[in-house]
Amino acid sequence: MQVFGSSGTRGRVTEELTPDFVLRVAAAAGTVWGVDRVALGRDTRLTGPMLVNTAASGLASVGADVDRLGIVPTPALQSYAADEGVPGVMITASHNPPAYNGIKLVGADGVELSVERLEAIESALLDDDPAYADWDMTGRDRTVEWAGRAYIRELLGAADREAIAAADLTVALDPGHGAGALTSPEFFRELGCSVHTVNAHPDGHFPGRDPEPVETNLSDLGHLVRATDADVGVAHDGDADRAIFFDETGSYIEGDATLAALADATLSAGDTTVSAVNVSQRLVDVAAATGADLELTPIGSTRIMTRIRELQQAGERVPVAGEGNGGVIFPAYRINRDGAYTAARFLELITEASASEVVAPYNGYANVRRNVHYKDEAERATLVERAGEWARGTEGEVTTIDGYRVDFGDAWVLARPSGTEPVVRVYAEAHERERATELVDRLVEVLEAAAASGG
Ligand code: MG
């Protein structure tokens, strides 16, 4: 998959991502789907209306009517697609900066397309031969204004409303000017929480913060938690399919700790959970302690969701999966990432204990990361090969899904070429910083020696 990459197609609008490209992707998707109706939504980006218009034209040109949902979270578009039994196109760049936009494609089951389906659309795109409809069969469009409301109703039905309302929680919310600004405040209020917000008006300039919910972007939320004496802080990315949390003291909670806490509360012996190859030791430990299997995929939510479907088809139970970036998947609800639903599941955990107590067992891990630069493709290949030799020579369990990961039981180390820079990234995680540093240093030394000797 060159066009769709690990999490859809994204780029700086008009430089990398042009209206023409969006039109061609929409026409190719409409050609492969061959359906008479498609849902179309967007996040709050300034370029959203322009790209929605070209996507609508592409879809209509191959005979699909278009349901325009306007600004909705990606999981709201997915909920609509599943309810109506129509595929969907979402114009969003998720957590990327304001100048970016992109396309996510959703099947008629409300689930992001599998790698296989995306490849079919990618090859239709490269063939550049859309199945244009006759003039009188081209699609019409209509505006659907209730998709956000229907999504909130679905969320309320899926969450443990009674327990959350009984706990009388105060939620500080930072939707980051994204699509979640239109649904999450109402959802948490209807769950029975008191809600205080910051950066809660939809604004494609993202004046208050960048769409990515990482600690450095979220200082407003920490202040809001303290100022309002909230029980928890919740932050979304631009299309609100992710949730990152702050505890009741206004401290940032690592996404890996949240994922481990949610997995611990959800997994039983014999279950399988799925994460990417850079998965935290926290989830490794939870899976081991529970007696659940942990399956790893290449990095990217599309890969994780594709693997969940394969496991389910093979009869495995996969109640929870995801990554430490706030993208958690509860397949019994839907095989998607949903920031509001993830937050509701976290609220369920803090009905009995404070947020800091809930995540305390999953703190106390250290991550170390270093880069090894390479000059050219030959040197890159040498470094990867040496990493492989080193990995196989250790006592650990080697995973070769994406670079080389070695699990030692108490710690892991991963060497993986970056997709964007001429470096091999070396990561490690352990309970003790010393242990993680030692693993990274050992592997970096091997790679640097290989680079210095010219292979
Ligand atoms: Mg997102």
Side-chain angles (χ1 to χ4, degrees), residues 59-383:
L59 293 165
S61 72
V62 295
D65 290 344
V66 179
D67 290 353
R68 291 181 180 244
L69 310 188
I71 297 174
V72 284
T74 296
L77 173 105
Q78 293 176 308
S79 166
Y80 182 87
D83 277 356
E84 297 286 311
V86 298
V89 175
M90 182 74 191
I91 302 297
T92 177
S94 192
H95 64 269
N96 286 144
Y100 286 69
N101 216 327
I103 313 165
K104 274 187 196 173
L105 301 174
V106 172
D109 54 358
V111 177
E112 227 175 82
L113 294 188
S114 64
V115 172
E116 204 178 26
R117 291 291 280 166
L118 286 175
E119 280 170 352
I121 291 171
E122 185 169 303
S123 79
L125 178 70
L126 299 173
D127 289 347
D128 198 20
D129 185 22
Y132 287 134
D134 286 341
W135 68 273
D136 57 347
M137 296 299 285
T138 54
R140 316 285 163 88
D141 69 26
R142 64 166 182 156
T143 302
V144 172
E145 283 172 354
W146 43 267
R149 187 58 223 163
Y151 167 59
I152 293 170
R153 262 204 312 276
E154 183 192 75
L155 287 170
L156 289 168
D160 189 346
R161 204 172 172 177
E162 222 168 282
I164 294 170
D168 198 17
L169 298 169
T170 299
V171 174
L173 173 68
D174 179 354
H177 304 296
L182 296 177
T183 49
S184 281
E186 199 172 323
F187 170 53
F188 293 126
R189 281 189 189 110
E190 291 190 31
L191 275 177
C193 303
S194 303
V195 180
H196 301 280
T197 60
V198 63
N199 304 322
H201 61 286
D203 188 334
H205 288 286
F206 298 92
R209 71 159 167 98
D210 256 26
E212 186 164 21
V214 290
E215 186 173 10
T216 46
N217 288 340
L218 298 176
S219 52
D220 289 349
L221 183 57
H223 295 310
L224 184 65
V225 168
R226 286 187 287 271
T228 60
D229 199 19
D231 297 293
V232 66
V234 180
H236 294 312
D237 66 331
D239 65 333
D241 63 348
R242 285 161 52 182
I244 283 290
F245 300 92
F246 279 61
D247 71 16
E248 74 287 356
T249 70
S251 300
Y252 173 80
I253 300 173
E254 300 269 359
D256 283 315
T258 312
L259 176 62
L262 290 167
D264 212 353
T266 311
L267 285 173
S268 310
D271 288 344
T272 303
T273 182
V274 185
S275 191
V277 72
N278 59 350
V279 66
S280 168
Q281 185 70 25
R282 302 159 212 246
L283 189 61
V284 175
D285 289 349
V286 164
T290 318
D293 281 338
L294 170 61
E295 290 248 353
L296 302 183
T297 71
I299 289 173
S301 60
T302 305
R303 301 288 182 171
I304 294 178
M305 289 188 252
T306 300
R307 188 72 192 122
I308 292 171
R309 280 203 279 211
E310 289 167 359
L311 287 162
Q312 286 185 335
Q313 278 156 15
E316 299 288 328
R317 212 181 91 91
V318 188
V320 62
E323 295 172 278
N325 60 6
V328 184
I329 303 162
F330 295 94
Y333 164 67
R334 183 165 294 123
I335 303 179
N336 74 345
R337 308 193 301 182
D338 186 321
Y341 184 66
T342 300
R345 295 293 294 252
F346 193 72
L347 293 184
E348 288 170 20
L349 298 186
I350 64 167
T351 56
E352 313 251 304
S354 69
S356 60
E357 286 163 356
V358 162
V359 298
Y362 318 101
N363 290 333
Y365 290 78
N367 291 78
V368 177
R369 179 166 148 170
R370 282 176 65 187
N371 293 332
V372 179
H373 291 262
Y374 58 80
K375 290 190 294 284
D376 50 30
E377 274 308 298
E379 193 169 289
R380 172 186 183 276
T382 303
L383 294 187

